[in-house]
């Protein structure tokens, strides 16, 4: 019974994959699709804009600090189960690491937006 059901599933899956492949056949060498498009005219400048490295650095710093903040959330849940002194030491150590990282980024100039 399991073998029959798996064969039916494989048959239906292969038919669906074949139909999707036939329906979605695209020509990659089509001239209109390969040419740049800007309101019907060829673009006057490059269609690719240079990526701002400063924006990338700020986004990475935000991501790192955002993940570290999510690491603080479970500490709220364990606050009642551990000693207050231990909890205070853990929180102070964690926030100290965050502040040291912030000052390091500041000294490296990653937080200064240059034009």
């Amino acid at each position: 019974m399991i073998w029959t059901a798996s064969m039916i599933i494989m048959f239906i899956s292969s038919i669906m994959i074949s139909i999707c492949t036939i329906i979605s056949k695209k020509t990659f060498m089509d001239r209109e699709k390969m040419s740049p498009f800007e309101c019907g005219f060829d673009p006057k400048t490059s269609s690719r804009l240079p990526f701002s490295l400063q924006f990338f650095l700020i986004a990475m710093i935000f991501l790192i600090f955002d993940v570290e903040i999510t690491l603080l959330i479970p500490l709220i849940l364990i606050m009642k189960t551990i000693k207050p002194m231990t909890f205070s030491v853990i929180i102070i150590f964690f926030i100290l690491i965050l502040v040291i990282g912030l000052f390091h980024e500041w000294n490296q100039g990653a937080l200064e937006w240059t034009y």
Side-chain angles (χ1 to χ4, degrees), residues 19-82:
I19 290 172
C20 288
T21 305
I22 291 169
I23 290 174
S24 68
K25 208 50 139 173
K26 298 178 181 177
T27 58
F28 292 107
M29 301 308 286
D30 193 10
R31 183 173 165 244
E32 284 80 24
K33 289 182 183 177
M34 294 300 290
S35 66
F37 180 75
E38 184 177 317
C39 300
F41 301 103
D42 288 333
K44 295 183 171 134
T45 60
S46 174
S47 61
R48 300 281 183 187
L49 297 175
F51 186 73
S52 173
L53 187 61
Q54 284 297 120
F55 176 75
F56 179 73
L57 288 175
I58 294 293
M60 286 296 111
I61 291 169
F62 172 76
L63 184 66
I64 289 169
F65 281 103
D66 194 39
V67 168
E68 289 175 352
I69 294 300
T70 59
L71 292 175
L72 282 174
I73 292 174
L75 289 177
I76 296 170
L77 299 174
I78 66 166
M79 183 170 51
K80 294 180 182 177
T81 60
I82 63 174

Side-chain angles (χ1 to χ4, degrees), residues 75 78 81-93:
L75 289 177
I78 66 166
T81 60
I82 63 174
K83 297 178 192 175
M85 186 63 182
T86 307
F87 181 75
S88 299
V89 168
I90 291 171
I91 290 292
I92 288 171
F93 185 69

